[in-house]
Amino acid sequence: MRAGGTTAGRAATPRPAPEQQAPTGLRGRLRRYLPVVLVPNGVVVLVLIVFALAGLLFTGTSLAALPATIAQLWLILNLVPVSAGGIVLGVLPLLPAMGLAALIARRVHVAVRDRVSMADLLVLALSAVVVPLVLTFIATGMMWDAGRVFDVGPPPVGQAVARTLLVHLLALATGMGGRLWRALLRRYNAPEWLVDATATAVRILLLLSAAALVVMLVLLFTGWSRQTELAAIYAGGPGMVGSSLISLLYLPNAVIAVITVLLGSEFHLGAASISLYAIDLTALPPLPLLALIPAWAHPWSITLLLVTSIAVAYVLSNVRFNIRQTLATSAVTAVLVLIFSYLTWGEIGHLGTGGPMIWLTAGLALAWTAGIGVAAALLGRLADRRAAKPAKPAAAPETEPDPEPEPEETIEEVIDSEIVEDEEVEAEEEPTEEEVAEGEATEGEAAEELMQEPEEETAGESEETAESQEDNGKAEDPERRD
C-alpha cells in the first residue's frame, strides 16, 4: 500500500474463501477422508516410538526390543491384553484410550461439519475402522515375531479385534454429532428421538461418574491413614511418584468400579470382591488408588443406592419422555455400561480375573433407569390427563352482552379461516353463473322500479299544484266581480 495513495487508511477487504468442492469418485473420497483417520493414528504411532525409544534408553535395554515395545504400547493404547514374562495384563488404563478416542472424534467432527453424502460417510466410517485394525494386526504380528527372541506373546485375536473396534467406533459415533445422527435417522424413517434418548443416557452416566468421584474423595479423607502407610512403604521416593502416576492413568477405571458398586453390583480384583453389602479383600498391589478401598463395608453403606436413584430421577425429570422413549434410554444406558464394563475387565497378572460383573452390572443399569423412568412417565401422563380435564364453569354474574364486532372485521376473519382451514368450503360456496345472471336481472328490475316511483310521485305533485291553482283562480274571480 502506498503512502497517501487512494487506498491509504482503508481496511483491506477479506477475500471470500474458495468453496471446497465435494469429492467425486472413490479415489477423490479416499483422498479427502482417509487422512482424517490416518493422520491422527500416524501421529500417535510416532509418539509411541519416541516413548518406546526413551524407555529403552532410560532402562538400558537393547534396542532389539524396540519393535516389541512399540507394538505393546499400541495394544495397551487400544485396551488389548498384553503378555510378558508369562504375566497377562488385560485390565488396562482407560485414560490414554480416552485421549486417543477424543482426538479421532475431533477430527471426524471437523470432517463432517459441512454437508456430506452417504458415500462420503461410508468411506469415512470404513477408514475409521480399517486403519486401526490394520495397525493392531501389525502390532500382533510384531509381538508374535518378538516372541521367538523375548519372553512375550501375541494377544488373543478375538479380543484384539473387538476392543480395537469398540474404541474407534465410540470415537466415530461421538465425532459424528447429534445433527448428523438426526439426518441419518430421518433418511431411514427412524425416530429422531433416539438421539435424545442416547444423550439422556450419557447424561445419566456422567452424573453417576461425578457421584463416584465424590465417593472416592470421601474415601480418601476417611482413609487417609492407609495413604500414609503406603507412602511409608515407598519412603517418598520415585516409587511413590510412579505408583501415583499409574493410579492417575487408572482413575477412569476406578470411576467405573465405583459406579458398578453404586448400581448394586460387585467388582472383583482376583479373589477380592467389593460391594455395598460386603467387602472381602486379599493382598493387593501397593497403589494409592487401591488404598481407597475400606477394609469392611459399613452397615449404612447400602444407603448409597439412594445416590443412584436420585441421579437417575434427576436426569429423567428434566425430560418429558413417554414409556417408549424411556425404555430406549434404559437400553442405551445398559449397552454403554456393558461396553465399559467389558473394556475394564480382564486378567490382572497373578491376581486372576478382575473387573465388574459385566452382565449383572448392565442388567442393574437397565432396571434402575427403566423402573424410575417408567414410573416418571406414568406420573407425567397422569398429570397431563388431570390438566386436560375441563374445570366446572362457575356461575358467572349477569353482565351486559359484548358489543358485536364490526362487519368488516367479521368478514375478514371468515375469509381468513376459509383460506387457511378448508379451501374446498370456499370453492363450494362460490355462486354459479345462472345464479349470478338471475341476481343481475333482479337488481335491474329493482333499479327500474326505483326509477319509476319518483316519476309517479312527481306527476302526482304537479296535478295537485294545478288543482290548487284553479281553486285559487275561482276564488279570485268573485272578488274581482265585486
Side-chain angles (χ1 to χ4, degrees), residues 190-478:
E192 296 184 24
W193 51 258
L194 288 175
V195 177
D196 300 326
T198 305
T200 304
V202 172
R203 285 196 295 269
I204 291 174
L205 293 180
L206 289 177
L207 190 57
L208 287 176
S209 301
L213 288 174
V214 173
V215 171
M216 292 170 64
L217 287 176
V218 173
L219 292 175
L220 177 63
F221 286 111
T222 56
W224 187 252
S225 59
R226 296 188 296 270
Q227 301 294 330
T228 55
E229 293 175 3
L230 183 63
I233 295 175
Y234 290 106
M240 189 64 187
V241 177
S243 62
S244 301
L245 180 60
I246 293 175
S247 298
L248 180 63
L249 294 176
Y250 276 94
L251 183 60
N253 301 61
V255 170
I256 293 177
V258 176
I259 291 176
T260 300
V261 175
L262 290 178
L263 289 173
S265 182
E266 288 187 3
F267 186 85
H268 292 271
L269 289 171
S273 63
I274 302 98
S275 68
L276 293 177
Y277 317 105
I279 297 178
D280 186 10
L281 294 181
T282 58
L284 299 176
L287 294 174
L289 198 60
L290 297 179
L292 296 176
I293 304 174
W296 53 283
H298 195 276
W300 289 95
S301 61
I302 195 173
T303 57
L304 289 176
L305 292 174
L306 294 175
V307 175
T308 303
S309 59
I310 292 173
V312 175
Y314 174 76
V315 175
L316 293 178
S317 63
N318 292 327
V319 293
R320 295 298 299 272
F321 282 170
N322 54 29
I323 297 179
R324 187 179 179 185
Q325 294 170 340
T326 303
L327 294 178
T329 303
S330 306
V332 174
T333 305
V335 169
L336 291 177
V337 170
L338 181 68
I339 290 173
F340 286 108
S341 298
Y342 169 70
L343 292 178
T344 56
W345 173 89
E347 295 187 26
I348 316 175
H350 297 297
L351 291 177
T353 304
M357 297 182 68
I358 299 177
W359 294 106
L360 178 60
T361 306
L364 287 173
L366 178 64
W368 277 109
T369 52
I372 297 177
V374 170
L378 291 177
L379 290 176
R381 180 181 296 182
L382 182 61
D384 292 340
R385 288 182 178 179
R386 288 183 176 180
K389 288 182 179 180
K392 294 182 179 180
E398 295 182 359
T399 57
E400 297 182 358
D402 296 334
E404 296 182 358
E406 297 181 0
E408 295 182 357
E409 295 179 357
T410 306
I411 293 174
E412 289 180 359
E413 292 176 0
V414 172
I415 292 175
D416 291 339
S417 63
E418 290 177 354
I419 293 174
V420 175
E421 295 178 2
D422 193 357
E423 296 179 356
E424 296 180 357
V425 176
E426 182 183 5
E428 292 177 359
E429 294 180 356
E430 289 181 357
T432 59
E433 294 181 356
E434 296 178 358
E435 294 177 353
V436 172
E438 292 177 0
E440 292 178 355
T442 305
E443 292 178 357
E445 293 176 358
E448 291 179 357
E449 291 178 358
L450 292 175
M451 291 295 293
Q452 290 176 359
E453 288 178 358
E455 291 179 358
E456 292 177 357
E457 292 178 356
T458 306
E461 292 178 355
S462 59
E463 290 178 359
E464 292 178 358
T465 306
E467 290 178 358
S468 60
Q469 289 178 357
E470 289 179 358
D471 294 337
N472 294 332
K474 290 178 180 179
E476 290 176 355
D477 289 338

Side-chain angles (χ1 to χ4, degrees), residues 23 28-37 111 116 120 123-124 127:
R29 292 187 173 92
L30 287 174
R31 189 182 300 111
R32 179 173 178 179
Y33 293 106
L34 184 59
V36 173
V37 182
V116 293
D120 299 338
V123 171
L124 179 60
S127 302

